[in-house]
Amino acid sequence: MDFSEEQIQRYARHILLQEVGGTGQAKLLGSKVLVVGAGGLGSPLLLYLAAAGVGTIGIVDDDVVDLSNLQRQIVHSTASIGKPKVESARATVAAVNPEIHFVAHNARITVDNALDLVSAYDLVADGSDNFPTRFLVNDTCFFAKKPLVSAAILRFDGQISTFKSFESGPCYRCLFREAPPEGVIPTCAEAGVLGALCGMVGSMQATEVLKELMGIGDSLSGWLMVCDALSATFRKIKLKPDPECPLCGDNPSITDLSAHAH
Ligand SMILES: [Zn+2]
């Protein structure tokens, strides 16, 4: 791939890295990533993926920007209150890196559109804020054979992992068999979340996405990274595939997305 003079300057600090170089940068420019949720995690994800030169970035979200989002959702601004999040994100991303092809899916990811959406991309980064979506995205990525970099945040705690259970390693259901009943685990809207923690975890998630796209370093597949911002503690926990997993186990009971239909 031939870089333009402007690209060589824009991505110079990447190209300097031996592990990235021109080859890695060309891979990023040729990659397509779907980000689920333009919120606290989606914000740093979108910003860093765009700045890094991930060629095609899709975002799926059906929400509009609210004043209470701005404490952490740094891809949006005060002037964007009331606008669709995907359009607000598009404007910010275009300002950072105009050469990115940005695809705004102003919709909620559901059983009806999930396979089509996910199939159009090389990798999915899930920054959604609810369990039904996380399970839907996990199952869809498994069936579509797409790597999934998944993260979640609440209060001062964050977690992140990569799932490639279609080739090896556990899936999200190996960790959490099914979504907890509604109301058991509070949402950020109910329990709060430290804004900067979203930046921390979302930036780690972006880092793992870039590593997966370039095929460098150690994958987080098979590991769960847990961080506690209050105690400034990071832990990396080994995960094993569960042979009893209803999705990726030996005798799967989930063979399509129909369980997600309501
Ligand atoms: Zn599994």
Side-chain angles (χ1 to χ4, degrees), residues 113-138:
N113 61 13
L115 262 180
D116 283 344
L117 268 174
V118 166
S119 300
Y121 295 88
D122 303 316
L123 180 150
V124 178
D126 186 4
S128 67
D129 59 356
N130 65 87
F131 285 101
T133 301
R134 253 176 251 147
F135 280 90
L136 173 64
V137 170
N138 176 68

Side-chain angles (χ1 to χ4, degrees), residues 138 142 163 165 169-175 177 240-249:
N138 176 68
F142 175 79
F163 300 113
S165 53
C171 78
Y172 187 72
R173 280 190 191 272
C174 294
L175 262 88
R177 190 56 61 87
K240 284 187 181 145
D242 180 358
E244 311 263 292
C245 174
L247 181 71
C248 74

Side-chain angles (χ1 to χ4, degrees), residues 18 39 46 48 103 130 178 236 253:
Q18 198 189 351
L46 291 168
Y48 273 117
V103 188
N130 65 87
E178 56 189 31
K236 199 175 161 190
S253 57

Side-chain angles (χ1 to χ4, degrees), residues 3 7 13 23-24 68 93 98 107 124-125 141 149 159 164 168 179 185 199 204 212 218 228 236 243-244 255:
F3 295 109
Q7 286 176 319
R13 302 297 184 278
T23 311
S68 66
V93 162
V124 178
C141 287
V149 182
Q159 60 181 47
K164 296 191 278 189
S168 69
I185 297 183
M204 282 173 63
E212 291 293 335
D218 297 326
D228 173 355
K236 199 175 161 190
E244 311 263 292
T255 53

Side-chain angles (χ1 to χ4, degrees), residues 172-251:
Y172 187 72
R173 280 190 191 272
C174 294
L175 262 88
F176 308 105
R177 190 56 61 87
E178 56 189 31
E182 218 170 300
V184 170
I185 297 183
T187 64
C188 288
E190 293 158 353
V193 62
L194 188 74
L197 172 79
C198 304
M200 225 165 90
V201 177
S203 301
M204 282 173 63
Q205 197 178 2
T207 304
E208 294 307 315
V209 169
L210 298 175
K211 284 166 56 189
E212 291 293 335
L213 294 175
M214 293 187 285
I216 63 170
D218 297 326
S219 174
L220 260 192
S221 173
W223 296 91
L224 181 70
M225 181 73 97
V226 179
C227 70
D228 173 355
L230 268 189
S231 62
T233 308
F234 287 82
R235 277 188 306 147
K236 199 175 161 190
I237 301 160
K238 183 81 189 132
L239 300 177
K240 284 187 181 145
D242 180 358
E244 311 263 292
C245 174
L247 181 71
C248 74
D250 297 336
N251 294 297

